[in-house]
Amino acid sequence: MNIEVSKKNIKETRTRNEDVPSLSPGQIRVAIESFGLTSNNITYAVMGDLMNYWQFFPVPEPDTALWGQVPIWGFAHVSESTVEELEVGTKIFGYFPMAESFVMTPGRLDETGFSDAALHRSKLPTVYNRYAYTTKDPLYSEAGEGTLMLLRPLFITSFVVDDFIVDNNFFGARTMLISSASAKTAIAAAFLLAERDDIKVVGLTSEGNLDFVNGLSCYDEVLTYDHIEELKGEDVVYIDVAGRRDVTHKIHHHYGDHLKYSMIVGDTHWDNEEFLPGSIPGPRPTLLFAPVQIAKRRTDWGRDAFEEKVADAWHRFLGWTNAWLKVESVAGADEITATYGDLLDGRIDPSVGHVCRFLDA
């Protein structure tokens, strides 16, 4: 079974059952055990065309142009194999379709994992094509599987947000302003930035999430969106996780030349399409595409050193999440699609993370 989303209206979903194809030489089939479902997946759907997320797991013809599979991060095990190095039962973590099973073409096998060498993925960012053996993954622990599924993909983005800003010497600013401050990507970025010397982290959130965000220890100051005019007129970097055009407009006009960089990270408020005519003062809002910075740092530091830095930061962050994150289970296609709808409509408690599985997983 696969869960698919309409590319024209991402609120519309369907389930599709397909025949299990025979494997060709060099292929494996994996059974997807469980996966996290967060606002990160909403970003994948919203930016499916712009960032090519629909291309990772295309729906078969004749529906390729109309329907897509939202990528998810989770655990799977090899259920059938024609590859000698990959035994049945091998457990992996990585990027999958929202489905019960998936056929892969492993390549670039080493002691830590492999890449999916399927032809249609050859021109897509390699960071999404890599799968880690849980037995060799420095971030893995059996007890922490739920948190890993929910936060690891978000954390990588947050790690890159922090590193990109550091790599650019904070763009000359000492204040970091983050929208959608209750989103887990924002929280992780705030946590890492708060560790930096002499850096002030300010969060913007809705009235409904204000108490939750204030209860976190990673923001020096928290304001709601209707109090933007109260922000101090100091040099600042804006990290846009919300994707709200009206907020971006207010931030740019409030800070003017004091806004040193405007970074687009996500689109949690995916349905905010208010048209804002004319130019806005300050720097042009720029989309952060994490794989580019990851590739740069793997060149700068080497792959192993990059992974070590991520692992060190992850373990610091992981211990802190126990104080506020609650993991809840979701089972079956109906509950999964209902949770996806709740995420779209903003009805999810920010302190909750959902771990999903199909009933037969």
Side-chain angles (χ1 to χ4, degrees), residues 3 37 47 165 168 253 257 262 270 309:
I3 296 176
L37 196 56
M47 298 188 175
I165 291 172
N168 287 276
H253 279 275
D257 292 339
S262 183
W270 65 277
K309 288 178 183 292

Side-chain angles (χ1 to χ4, degrees), residues 3 10 72 97 101 111 162 169 192 210 232 234 241 281 283 291 293 295 300 312 315 336 340 348 357:
I3 296 176
I10 61 171
I72 50 87
S101 65
E111 70 279 1
D162 171 70
N169 197 27
L192 294 173
L210 183 61
K232 295 179 181 178
E234 55 196 342
V241 179
Q293 183 69 9
D300 293 345
D312 287 345
H315 288 300
I336 293 170
Y340 169 81
I348 298 295
R357 64 178 179 85

Side-chain angles (χ1 to χ4, degrees), residues 283-299:
R284 180 179 179 178
T286 303
L287 179 68
L288 176 73
F289 189 48
V292 173
Q293 183 69 9
I294 291 171
K296 178 182 185 298
R297 285 313 203 186
R298 283 178 169 170
T299 299

Side-chain angles (χ1 to χ4, degrees), residues 245-314:
R245 292 157 183 79
D246 59 329
V247 172
T248 298
H249 187 268
K250 289 180 182 179
I251 293 296
H252 277 250
H253 279 275
H254 178 73
Y255 282 103
D257 292 339
H258 286 292
L259 182 59
K260 299 305 179 182
Y261 193 77
S262 183
M263 176 192 295
I264 303 170
V265 178
D267 207 355
T268 60
H269 294 271
W270 65 277
D271 56 348
N272 179 260
E273 296 182 351
E274 180 179 347
F275 177 66
L276 301 170
S279 61
I280 54 177
R284 180 179 179 178
T286 303
L287 179 68
L288 176 73
F289 189 48
V292 173
Q293 183 69 9
I294 291 171
K296 178 182 185 298
R297 285 313 203 186
R298 283 178 169 170
T299 299
D300 293 345
W301 301 333
R303 192 183 80 174
D304 290 346
F306 174 82
E307 299 297 340
E308 287 176 6
K309 288 178 183 292
V310 171
D312 287 345
W314 166 258

